[in-house]
Amino acid sequence: MKRFFDSELDAFRSHLIQMGEKSIEQVRGAVRALVDADVELARKVRAGDDELDRLEVLIDEEGVRYMSLRNPIATDLRLVVVGMKAGSDLERVGDEANNIAKRAIRLAAEPPLKEYIDIPRMAEIAQEMLRDALDCFLQHDNDKALAVIRRDEEVDALNKQIYRELAGFMVENPATISRALELMFIAKSIERIADHATNIAEEMVYLAKGEDIRHNDELKKGPKAE
Amino acid sequence: MSTAQPLPAAPAVSPKAAPAPATPPIVEIEKLDFFYGDKQALFDVTLGIPEKQVTAFIGPSGCGKTTLLRCLNRMNDLVDVARIGGGEIRIDGINIYDPRVDVIELRKRVGMVFQKSNPFPKSIYENIAYGLRLHGIKHKDKLDEIVEKSLRGAALWDEVKDRLHDSGMGLSGGQQQRLCIARAIAVEPDVILMDEPCSALDPIATAKVEELIHELKTRYTIVIVTHNMQQAARVSDQTAFFYLGKLIEFAGTQKIFMNPSNPQTESYVSGHFG
């Protein structure tokens, strides 16, 4: 039976999806701005962060209001709790995109240290993870959520690889240090974005199953890991 | 939902997500004192009930909420020892306790639905047509039309259209309560008073009545007394909290349940009372 206040949950859900779309767009824009040395795009990304902040506040307001007035139970309750936590993760994704854009502006003023290959690749994976985590939100798909969680290791490995490579640059030529450091921080930001996607995926498992899988390495790494 | 700035591309927020806009009151209760014999039941109550919204009265037993509800269509006239000690109640600007007021006419404008459904021991059709005939509507086509419209308005038509001449007493509790709502709206009242309308119903019948209340408020002003705080939170736009005959706090429902101003309200709605 459709309830007259179901439209409120629909609005809550669609605000979270909207926030997810926007945060992916922010990450994509920030990394593109870095690769293309596009200062204008980087500034646009930085300005776009306000929308994520507003959506986070809106989602929290809607969530608290729904819990206060609608007495949600079971899946409805988990949806509201998970939505508020995911909103907070997506806001942090936006902050990381903002950081990347800020560093992209600085890097654009200098000659490129190298051709960017691994950073865009890493960012691509992080965006896919975010996208899949949000799909799980719509589909309550537990397996897909677990797959997102397992992909986090790919991103971590790329981050380490980038670190080693950039450290090599710094050792060879101290003139590269400031640029290499900016890139290390950018890689770190992307690694954090993947962590937030992982958090969201964990939250989606809780939404679908009511099971809390945080801090459970065995479950997260899956049967094939070793 | 109050955000600092409007969202650029936000999808439509449900209307219920916004606090109810303040519409002018249709019922104005001013400095009302009410007594049963020597015992004062209401103390200096001042309250404006906005038009075409749902206003909930909440509070522990004996707080005066039902007494106040019954003052609004002079049901308390039927209690010998009951009397107004001071103040007045105006509906559309008219003092309803003015001796010139026709009480029958008042109760037509201010309908009531009770805790226990009380269909007449007559057919479903007659439950609605009876009151209409008393109000001078005799023509069968007209009666048929209003009976159908009222049953549709009470979300009962589809369930009873094939057995309109069966007894109203044969309906389930939830259907009987909706029949009583249909009977109340048949005379096109301005205000509908509901005294614990769901307390005898199961959760599904309750949800149907709540859904109905939500629909009815586009056409009628509704005042509901309920012990069920979740119900008040779900269905009402405004909530008034009473304690020991006094109005403690009256505000938008969102305010009362999320951030009440008065500590007594807070402890009641959060279940810490007493």
Side-chain angles (χ1 to χ4, degrees), chain A residues 1-5 7-8 11 14-15 18 51 54-55 58 61-62 64-65 68-71, chain B residues 1-3 5 7-11 13-14 16-17 207 210-211 214 230 233-234 254 257-258:
Chain A
M1 187 166 69
K2 184 100 177 143
R3 302 162 304 179
F4 63 85
F5 44 82
S7 60
E8 294 170 15
S14 77
H15 286 138
Q18 191 186 344
E51 191 189 336
R54 277 203 301 277
L55 280 167
L58 176 64
E61 279 178 357
E62 288 176 329
V64 170
R65 181 178 187 281
S68 306
L69 301 185
R70 306 300 180 218
N71 196 27
Chain B
M1 195 73 37
S2 62
T3 45
Q5 293 161 15
L7 285 161
V13 182
S14 74
K16 281 290 288 176
E210 287 181 4
E211 195 78 29
H214 185 70
Q230 272 88 40
R234 279 192 299 266
Q254 182 167 339
F257 285 90
M258 288 174 64

Side-chain angles (χ1 to χ4, degrees), chain B residues 28-45:
Chain B
E28 296 165 279
I29 301 158
E30 198 178 324
K31 295 182 189 296
L32 187 73
D33 290 320
F34 184 88
F35 295 82
Y36 290 112
D38 294 336
K39 191 176 178 306
Q40 188 163 359
L42 291 172
F43 297 81
D44 196 31
V45 172

Side-chain angles (χ1 to χ4, degrees), chain A residues 166-179:
Chain A
L166 291 168
F169 275 100
M170 292 195 273
V171 171
E172 276 173 34
N173 180 5
T176 64
I177 287 177
S178 69
R179 278 172 291 167

Side-chain angles (χ1 to χ4, degrees), chain A residues 89-212:
Chain A
D89 274 307
L90 291 170
E91 192 274 333
R92 299 288 299 278
V93 167
D95 288 347
E96 298 296 350
N98 196 9
N99 284 335
I100 296 169
K102 189 171 69 187
R103 295 182 195 284
I105 293 171
R106 284 190 213 135
L107 283 165
E110 296 183 57
L113 185 60
K114 62 182 284 279
E115 198 188 343
Y116 301 125
I117 295 167
D118 287 337
I119 285 182
R121 200 170 126 213
M122 193 178 164
E124 199 56 49
I125 299 172
Q127 286 171 67
E128 281 169 18
M129 288 169 68
L130 277 173
R131 162 87 48 214
D132 287 349
L134 289 165
D135 283 351
C136 302
F137 179 67
L138 289 175
Q139 298 156 2
H140 291 209
D141 182 340
N142 202 45
D143 293 337
K144 201 170 195 175
L146 288 171
V148 170
I149 294 165
R150 287 165 197 157
R151 283 196 87 177
D152 191 39
E153 287 188 8
E154 269 180 70
V155 175
D156 289 349
L158 274 170
N159 185 36
K160 280 184 195 130
Q161 186 183 317
I162 291 168
Y163 242 76
R164 280 194 299 271
E165 190 190 4
L166 291 168
F169 275 100
M170 292 195 273
V171 171
E172 276 173 34
N173 180 5
T176 64
I177 287 177
S178 69
R179 278 172 291 167
L181 276 175
E182 296 285 14
L183 291 171
M184 276 184 178
F185 282 121
I186 286 174
K188 182 69 192 164
S189 282
I190 297 170
E191 191 265 329
R192 290 296 303 150
I193 289 167
D195 287 346
H196 290 300
T198 304
N199 287 351
I200 295 170
E202 287 169 357
E203 286 148 15
M204 296 313 146
V205 172
Y206 181 68
L207 175 61
K209 293 261 186 177
E211 250 173 68
D212 190 343

Side-chain angles (χ1 to χ4, degrees), chain B residues 44-97:
Chain B
D44 196 31
V45 172
T46 295
L47 181 66
I49 294 170
E51 190 170 11
K52 291 183 180 167
Q53 288 194 7
V54 179
T55 299
F57 291 174
I58 62 169
S61 296
C63 70
K65 57 192 188 299
T66 296
T67 296
L68 181 61
L69 190 80
R70 293 167 62 92
C71 285
L72 301 182
N73 68 349
R74 292 183 55 177
M75 289 292 284
N76 288 323
D77 289 11
L78 308 172
V79 180
D80 283 345
V81 294
R83 66 187 169 88
I84 301 251
E88 64 179 39
I89 299 175
R90 293 183 298 273
I91 295 182
D92 261 347
I94 295 164
N95 176 4
I96 61 167
Y97 283 88

Side-chain angles (χ1 to χ4, degrees), chain B residues 58-273:
Chain B
I58 62 169
S61 296
C63 70
K65 57 192 188 299
T66 296
T67 296
L68 181 61
L69 190 80
R70 293 167 62 92
C71 285
L72 301 182
N73 68 349
R74 292 183 55 177
M75 289 292 284
N76 288 323
D77 289 11
L78 308 172
V79 180
D80 283 345
V81 294
R83 66 187 169 88
I84 301 251
E88 64 179 39
I89 299 175
R90 293 183 298 273
I91 295 182
D92 261 347
I94 295 164
N95 176 4
I96 61 167
Y97 283 88
D98 187 306
R100 287 166 297 182
V101 164
D102 174 352
V103 179
I104 303 295
E105 190 57 29
L106 171 71
R107 291 189 191 138
K108 185 180 159 195
R109 293 194 57 195
V110 185
M112 192 153 189
V113 175
F114 296 87
Q115 181 167 8
K116 190 164 175 340
S117 56
N118 54 351
F120 305 135
K122 291 172 179 292
S123 71
I124 293 166
Y125 184 94
E126 279 303 316
N127 259 277
I128 295 163
Y130 186 74
L132 295 169
R133 286 204 195 89
L134 285 183
H135 289 293
I137 300 168
K138 306 272 196 244
H139 202 280
K140 180 158 185 317
D141 289 352
K142 186 72 186 165
L143 285 173
D144 286 354
E145 181 195 323
I146 301 178
V147 166
E148 176 172 344
K149 191 171 148 221
S150 307
L151 287 169
R152 283 188 188 282
L156 190 58
W157 174 253
D158 290 339
E159 292 163 57
V160 301
K161 63 184 176 199
D162 300 324
R163 47 173 171 145
L164 289 176
H165 299 287
D166 291 2
S167 169
M169 309 297 284
L171 297 172
S172 73
Q175 288 172 327
Q176 286 190 13
Q177 197 58 303
R178 281 180 283 143
L179 178 61
C180 294
I181 292 172
R183 192 172 66 190
I185 62 181
V187 294
E188 287 293 327
D190 298 319
V191 181
I192 304 173
L193 310 177
M194 298 186 172
D195 187 3
E196 290 272 6
C198 302
S199 64
L201 304 183
D202 73 18
I204 293 173
T206 296
K208 280 189 186 159
V209 172
E210 287 181 4
E211 195 78 29
L212 179 57
I213 291 170
H214 185 70
E215 282 167 30
L216 290 175
K217 77 170 178 182
T218 57
R219 281 173 288 149
Y220 309 100
T221 302
I222 295 171
V223 187
I224 178 170
V225 162
T226 177
H227 275 123
N228 179 337
M229 267 177 299
Q230 272 88 40
Q231 178 166 73
R234 279 192 299 266
V235 302
S236 71
D237 301 295
Q238 314 287 330
T239 298
F241 169 59
F242 294 88
Y243 184 55
L244 298 176
K246 292 180 179 138
L247 174 63
I248 306 296
E249 187 166 354
F250 177 52
T253 296
Q254 182 167 339
K255 164 98 178 120
I256 293 284
F257 285 90
M258 288 174 64
N259 188 20
S261 300
N262 188 292
Q264 280 178 307
T265 313
E266 164 115 24
S267 69
Y268 184 71
V269 297
S270 59
H272 291 299
F273 211 82

